[in-house]
Amino acid sequence: MAKAGSERTGLVREVAGLARLWPYIKVNRGLLVAAIVLIPVISAMQTALPMVLKYAIDKGILGKDQQALMQAGGVYLAIVIFEYLSRAGQSVASSLAVHRMIRKLRAKLFDHVLSLKASFHDRSLSGTLVTRATSDFDNLSESLNLGVLTAVVDVAVLIGCLVGMFTLNWRLALVAVVFLPAVWWIVGLFSTGLKNAMLKARVKIASLNGYTQEAFYGHTTVKVLTGERAAAGRHGKLNIEFRDAQMGSVVLDAWMFAVLDGIASVAVGLVLWLVLNGSLLELAGGATLVSAGILVAFVQYVQQMFEPLKQLGNKMAMLQGAFASIERIFGLLEQGERVSGVEPVPLLRGEVEFDHVTFSYDLSREKRTASLTDVNFKLLPGRSLALVGPTGSGKSTIVKLLAKLYDGYEGKIRIDGRDLTALSGEGLRSRLAIVPQDIVLFDGTVAFNIGLGHPDATPERIAAAAKEVGADRFIERLAGGLQHEIKEQGANLSHGQRQLLAFARALAKDPGIVILDEATSSVDPESEAVVQAATQRILRGRSVVVIAHRLSTIRACDEILVIEHGKVVEGGTHAELAAKGGAYAKLLQALH
């Protein structure tokens, strides 16, 4: 009893979860109202058809009334057409409302996930997030359209059939209704199995999609390492697991249909046997209770009644899938891991100050494992600062904190004298530019990838930025120039060309602060010379933070900080640090 009660409570809670969709669907409530209004119309049409058949048989055929038969035929045709139009209208209205809701909800989820701080993405698999933004929405759309909404229509049709049967003959109706408890039990039994099988299939398809995405993204690595056979083997294994999980629901669905078809046939056969052998007539003292028209109409009602029941188990399982998708989607929407700060950010002068900053990516760790420990420096407007040190020393962490991708640090970070925690992260990043080591390019034109939607990136500014970094030289050789279509991740460009586009992208924003994170580490010498010449001209008057291993880049900076194990161990100009013979001098020896 306790288990049954908890299951009912869980079902009520899950159904109540549908209310979470209301804010996204209420803008299309006119369509929803139209779909709901058409449900009783469809039920009435379904209920009327057997009645018309009864009239046609008893009055038209057996009564030899040709006019009545013609009238019945016309009415039957009109009802069929009207029911078809009603079902089509109901399906279109409900589907349109659901798809518009899905579009709005999907857009909100996409924006929300992008707004979450970097620490959330660090521990979340991209394949899982892609599944949330695609497969879960597809499942929700299918479940609502083919499950919830059509189930309501089926229930209305079922009620109409019961009313029609009791109107025709309550004795025959009782014979048919006696099967309903067994049918309900069977539907409940199979729907539980279907739910588990469908949820298992969702888990398997998420794994398959995630691995497929990884394999396609890393196709070059797979080929270089001759890992095609291993990749195909793992993909095949995941594919088989998904197939087996999917077939589990197919087999259960087939068995349920077969069992319910058998019960429906038994119900029809029992009704016919009771009528034809005279059992019902004897119960009524020999009175004529059942005409040929009533018998035909009743058989049709029984068939109509079992049709939605056969679909009910599958739709209940789909409904469970909708509940699961809603939980996953809204669970992601309820993630509140945003970096704090809402104050607008005006044009930057470019003053940056780290005041006793200590930070750890894992906040549960002790300070001895911190990525940064008591970091102090001040960058004046229009000056350049180089961060050097071994891999993993904390250089990139400083850049990520400056760009407000993470929070939770101790100490103070100030931009133009304002506390970083109070500033809007989006507003700040619109005022600074980061050129990372790993360049990300998107499907689209060269101009799109340079401007990347920034409001200040006009066509003129995009062209000027490309020219200033020297990217115009290779862009002019591309078919279409700035309108040349770039393939995924810039596969049709060289690495040096991709780096030059990243520089142009940064400059198109006209930033107050420029951050170069190993930006020239993979550029060929010829491209590096172009970039160095361009940056020397452009970055005058801007604050620059550089993470670099190349000596040519480091020498040009006004100040250099040596970072080791998250701490600043040395600071000064190139000449000062080189003469000191400390950590920086050792790095210089390693670079030569």
Side-chain angles (χ1 to χ4, degrees):
M1 291 295 291
K3 182 179 179 181
S6 63
E7 288 179 351
R8 283 194 297 270
T9 302
L11 181 61
V12 170
R13 184 174 62 252
E14 288 175 332
V15 172
L18 290 172
R20 303 165 84 176
L21 300 175
W22 177 246
Y24 304 93
I25 202 171
K26 66 180 180 180
V27 293
N28 298 298
R29 52 181 171 267
L31 290 170
L32 202 59
V33 168
I36 293 173
V37 167
L38 287 172
I39 291 174
V41 175
I42 295 170
S43 177
M45 295 300 100
Q46 281 280 85
T47 304
L49 286 176
M51 291 294 186
V52 175
L53 275 181
K54 170 189 173 298
Y55 177 81
I57 294 172
D58 289 344
K59 181 74 173 176
I61 297 176
L62 298 181
K64 298 181 180 180
D65 187 336
Q66 185 68 24
Q67 185 177 0
L69 188 60
M70 293 294 292
Q71 290 174 346
V75 171
Y76 193 94
L77 178 61
I79 292 174
V80 168
I81 293 174
F82 191 70
E83 183 199 356
Y84 170 79
L85 293 176
S86 298
R87 282 187 180 272
Q90 197 273 340
S91 178
V92 169
S94 60
S95 296
L96 194 56
V98 168
H99 286 306
R100 286 179 177 177
M101 178 205 71
I102 292 294
R103 181 185 63 188
K104 186 176 181 180
L105 188 57
R106 195 198 300 267
K108 180 170 183 179
L109 182 74
F110 182 82
D111 292 342
H112 177 77
V113 171
L114 287 181
S115 72
L116 295 175
K117 60 185 179 182
S119 57
F120 170 82
H121 292 275
D122 290 343
R123 64 175 185 274
S124 300
L125 294 175
S126 59
T128 301
L129 295 178
V130 169
T131 299
R132 293 289 175 271
T134 54
S135 296
D136 276 336
F137 279 102
D138 293 339
N139 179 39
L140 180 59
S141 176
E142 181 184 7
S143 299
L144 291 178
N145 278 313
L146 302 180
V148 178
L149 298 175
T150 58
V152 174
V153 176
D154 289 343
V155 169
V157 170
L158 179 60
I159 293 172
C161 289
L162 291 173
V163 171
M165 286 192 294
F166 277 96
T167 301
L168 284 175
N169 189 295
W170 66 269
R171 292 176 177 83
L172 289 178
L174 288 176
V175 174
V177 168
V178 78
F179 287 92
L180 290 182
V183 170
W184 185 256
W185 179 79
I186 291 171
V187 167
L189 181 66
F190 276 98
S191 66
T192 300
L194 279 168
K195 177 191 72 173
N196 295 333
M198 292 172 74
L199 290 178
K200 183 178 179 181
R202 297 291 176 190
V203 172
K204 295 300 181 182
I205 191 62
S207 299
L208 180 60
N209 287 342
Y211 181 72
T212 302
Q213 179 189 9
E214 290 178 356
F216 286 168
Y217 182 79
H219 67 95
T220 302
T221 302
V222 172
K223 291 177 181 177
V224 169
L225 298 177
T226 63
E228 293 94 337
R229 182 171 297 180
R234 185 179 176 190
H235 183 271
K237 180 176 180 293
L238 293 172
N239 204 10
I240 291 173
E241 290 177 356
F242 170 63
R243 181 206 63 187
D244 292 344
Q246 189 78 347
M247 283 304 300
S249 64
V250 171
V251 170
L252 284 172
D253 198 35
W255 270 104
M256 184 182 69
F257 265 69
V259 171
L260 293 181
D261 262 336
I263 294 175
S265 299
V266 170
V268 171
L270 183 60
V271 168
L272 291 174
W273 180 77
L274 289 173
V275 172
L276 296 178
N277 75 357
S279 298
L280 284 177
L281 298 178
E282 291 175 6
L283 289 174
T288 302
L289 297 175
V290 181
S291 66
I294 290 176
L295 185 59
V296 171
F298 199 89
V299 169
Q300 188 169 2
Y301 273 132
V302 171
Q303 292 173 337
Q304 287 183 357
M305 179 183 72
F306 274 89
E307 192 59 35
L309 288 174
K310 287 187 288 186
Q311 302 284 347
L312 193 57
N314 190 282
K315 289 173 181 177
M316 287 178 66
M318 291 180 69
L319 187 60
Q320 292 290 338
F323 295 149
S325 293
I326 289 172
E327 284 297 320
R328 287 193 290 263
I329 291 169
F330 280 91
L332 194 50
L333 282 172
E334 289 166 1
Q335 289 286 343
E337 296 188 43
R338 287 189 175 90
V339 178
S340 60
V342 294
E343 291 185 9
V345 181
L347 292 175
L348 297 178
R349 292 187 296 109
E351 181 181 293
V352 177
E353 181 181 6
F354 272 54
D355 184 4
H356 299 284
V357 174
T358 297
F359 173 75
S360 173
Y361 287 102
D362 187 348
L363 297 180
S364 65
R365 294 180 180 177
E366 299 177 1
K367 288 185 178 180
R368 61 184 177 84
T369 61
S371 299
L372 296 178
T373 303
D374 198 32
V375 172
N376 294 277
F377 67 84
K378 188 171 185 177
L379 174 64
L380 297 176
R383 305 280 288 177
S384 57
L385 172 69
L387 303 176
V388 299
T391 301
S393 60
K395 304 184 299 296
S396 292
T397 301
I398 292 175
V399 168
K400 291 174 182 177
L401 291 181
L402 177 58
K404 204 168 182 180
L405 297 176
Y406 292 85
D407 59 5
Y409 54 84
E410 298 177 15
K412 294 288 184 181
I413 301 176
R414 300 182 183 91
I415 304 289
D416 291 348
R418 301 172 67 187
D419 192 336
L420 187 67
T421 58
L423 301 180
S424 163
E426 183 179 356
L428 173 65
R429 288 186 290 273
S430 70
R431 300 297 186 185
L432 57 82
I434 302 177
V435 182
Q437 179 180 1
D438 298 322
I439 304 302
V440 176
L441 297 179
F442 301 92
D443 288 343
T445 64
V446 172
F448 169 78
N449 274 278
I450 293 176
L452 213 58
H454 196 276
D456 295 333
T458 62
E460 294 76 17
R461 187 182 291 275
I462 289 172
K467 185 176 182 179
E468 286 183 282
V469 300
D472 60 319
R473 300 178 186 177
F474 81 84
I475 292 175
E476 290 173 354
R477 297 195 299 268
L478 300 176
L482 285 170
Q483 300 307 311
H484 180 77
E485 291 287 335
I486 295 178
K487 295 182 180 179
E488 183 180 8
Q489 292 300 319
N492 52 340
L493 300 176
S494 70
H495 195 91
Q497 290 171 337
R498 293 197 294 269
Q499 289 281 10
L500 287 173
L501 287 185
F503 270 87
R505 176 189 292 172
L507 298 177
K509 299 168 65 175
D510 192 21
I513 299 175
V514 177
I515 300 172
L516 307 180
D517 187 358
E518 303 281 9
T520 61
S521 61
S522 301
V523 179
D524 57 85
E526 181 180 355
S527 297
E528 183 186 7
V530 174
V531 171
Q532 289 288 355
T535 51
Q536 291 301 318
R537 295 194 310 269
I538 301 165
L539 301 183
R540 294 191 186 99
R542 292 188 178 94
S543 298
V544 188
V545 177
V546 181
I547 297 176
H549 289 146
R550 295 196 176 189
L551 186 59
S552 58
T553 305
I554 300 171
R555 282 181 181 274
C557 294
D558 298 311
E559 185 178 3
I560 300 168
L561 296 182
V562 182
I563 315 293
E564 290 185 354
H565 305 295
K567 299 179 181 180
V568 178
V569 296
E570 283 185 339
T573 65
H574 169 74
E576 292 171 349
L577 294 177
K580 190 176 181 180
Y584 181 73
K586 293 179 182 178
L587 286 174
L588 289 181
Q589 292 176 1
L591 290 173
H592 283 295

